[in-house]
Amino acid sequence: MESALSFFVLLAQHKNLSAVARILDITPPAATRKLMQLENRLGVRLANRTTRSISLTSEGELFLVQAKRILADIKTMEDSVSNHRQQPRGLLRINASLGFGRRRISALASKFALKFPDIELDLQVTDKPVDLVANNIDVAIRFGTLPDRRLVARRLLSNRRFLCASPKYLKKHGEPQKLADLAQHRCIIHNQNDEAHGIWRFTYQQLAEVVKVSAAMSSNDGDIALGWTLEGHGIMIRSEWDLNKYVAARRLKIILPEFTLEPADLFLYYPSRQNLPARVRVFIDFLISEFEPVLPAENAR
């Protein structure tokens, strides 16, 4: 209907079907048909034709006024939506992993909100990844790769994982010298997502090795498992971005470092690169700039 309205406004301006046909790059008969189709749709005659020009009927004059108003409203609507895309405002929905979201992303969200007060933030922290499209999430910050290949992924930082234990535990139970020794040790398991319980997968000299350990203690909360490890209850797997500060303080020690585990790099995920709202674009740029000077993340996972 918008094209029919635009056609009629042009016709009222030029009062000549041939002139309108040239502007629209159509034939004069096609322009005549467009006018007839519009009149048939409305059930009234909008213009009187002569061989050289047209004049509007009273119904045509009324229709012209309404057509101009409708076209102006459409233009205002389009400009409003376009400006909304360009100006950072509106609701921004963010999802992050539980511990990292509480301790790191929440602080970054606070800093971001001070820079962009017109953006309303909704930060959700969950143990498991969520479906961004189904849950209308704009951006997710998660450790490890997500199985949904529809998403755009941006790596924020590298994050290796290591076996670790407290000096207190190692003094009492001894330090394992090979992976097989883990069978005789107390292990603390952080249950994450759908990973097999107690199955630890390593790579050594490009060969894969799998170890089944018995859980002396386990939790789906990484901070709880870390606390138990610091108290000397056993050996656990921990991300280096949290582990480094405890190693530097000699509260934890990395063991069997030559056996590498699958990394848990930090990624930024969002549904599409196309037509990103301004609020999403500025948040993505903000996060990337915050992680460029790579700093140890707190309580990863």
Side-chain angles (χ1 to χ4, degrees):
M1 187 61 183
E2 182 182 351
S3 63
L5 297 178
S6 299
F7 165 79
F8 190 75
V9 171
L10 278 175
L11 185 61
Q13 289 173 348
H14 295 276
K15 296 182 172 56
N16 186 285
L17 281 166
S18 296
V20 173
R22 286 194 297 272
I23 293 170
L24 298 178
D25 195 23
I26 59 177
T27 63
T32 301
R33 283 196 301 272
K34 285 179 74 72
L35 177 58
M36 291 176 62
Q37 289 168 356
L38 182 58
E39 289 178 327
N40 290 337
R41 180 175 180 175
L42 297 173
V44 295
R45 189 174 182 84
L46 297 174
N48 296 312
R49 289 88 154 167
T50 68
T51 54
R52 292 180 175 270
S53 65
I54 64 105
S55 61
L56 300 185
T57 63
S58 58
E59 291 82 3
E61 294 286 359
L62 178 61
F63 185 75
L64 176 63
V65 172
Q66 298 297 325
K68 287 181 176 180
R69 181 185 58 78
I70 292 170
L71 289 173
D73 288 345
I74 291 174
K75 180 66 166 59
T76 300
M77 178 184 66
E78 290 175 343
D79 289 345
S80 175
V81 172
S82 179
N83 289 336
H84 196 272
R85 179 178 179 273
Q86 296 303 321
Q87 298 298 321
R89 61 166 61 94
L91 176 61
L92 177 66
R93 295 183 174 90
I94 307 163
N95 177 266
S97 54
L98 204 58
F100 193 73
R102 283 198 307 262
R103 298 183 179 273
R104 182 78 168 123
I105 301 303
S106 62
L108 291 177
S110 174
K111 183 177 178 180
F112 177 80
L114 293 174
K115 293 184 65 175
F116 298 97
D118 291 335
I119 296 178
E120 178 187 349
L121 287 179
D122 177 16
L123 173 59
Q124 303 172 15
V125 292
T126 56
D127 185 40
K128 293 185 178 182
V130 298
D131 186 324
L132 270 63
V133 176
N135 291 277
N136 200 22
I137 301 295
D138 295 303
V139 177
I141 304 104
R142 314 288 310 188
F143 285 95
T145 56
L146 297 186
D148 193 341
R149 301 300 178 187
R150 297 173 300 170
L151 303 177
V152 179
R154 296 281 298 271
R155 190 194 309 271
L156 291 176
L157 56 83
S158 298
N159 186 35
R160 296 176 297 172
R161 296 190 298 163
F162 295 97
L163 290 171
C164 64
S166 71
K168 177 182 176 181
Y169 173 85
L170 296 175
K171 183 178 180 179
K172 182 176 180 180
H173 298 278
E175 184 172 342
Q177 301 301 309
K178 55 185 183 298
L179 289 182
D181 294 345
L182 293 174
Q184 281 73 51
H185 279 269
R186 295 174 58 84
C187 295
I188 297 173
I189 296 177
H190 176 199
N191 298 318
Q192 302 175 77
N193 304 328
D194 296 320
E195 294 179 3
H197 186 83
I199 300 296
W200 290 355
R201 304 177 188 278
F202 300 85
T203 300
Y204 178 68
Q205 296 181 348
Q206 298 183 333
L207 296 176
E209 297 195 37
V210 179
V211 177
K212 178 70 171 74
V213 299
S214 298
M217 306 174 81
S218 64
S219 175
N220 67 336
D221 188 290
D223 290 343
I224 291 174
L226 173 63
W228 289 338
T229 306
L230 289 167
E231 291 166 2
H233 287 287
I235 297 170
M236 79 170 294
I237 295 172
R238 194 67 179 173
S239 297
E240 68 174 320
W241 296 101
D242 186 40
L243 183 58
N244 287 344
K245 62 184 178 184
Y246 296 108
V247 172
R250 297 185 179 180
R251 297 185 65 193
L252 290 175
K253 181 180 179 182
I254 293 174
I255 59 178
L256 300 173
E258 65 274 20
F259 293 91
T260 59
L261 290 140
E262 183 180 354
D265 296 346
L266 183 67
F267 285 90
L268 171 68
Y269 295 95
Y270 50 98
S272 174
R273 296 181 191 274
Q274 302 299 319
N275 299 321
L276 280 176
R279 62 184 181 276
V280 178
R281 287 188 287 107
V282 295
F283 184 71
I284 290 172
D285 292 341
F286 170 80
L287 274 187
I288 291 172
S289 67
E290 286 294 319
F291 282 98
E292 275 178 352
V294 181
L295 298 174
E298 294 184 3
N299 291 314
R301 293 299 248 185

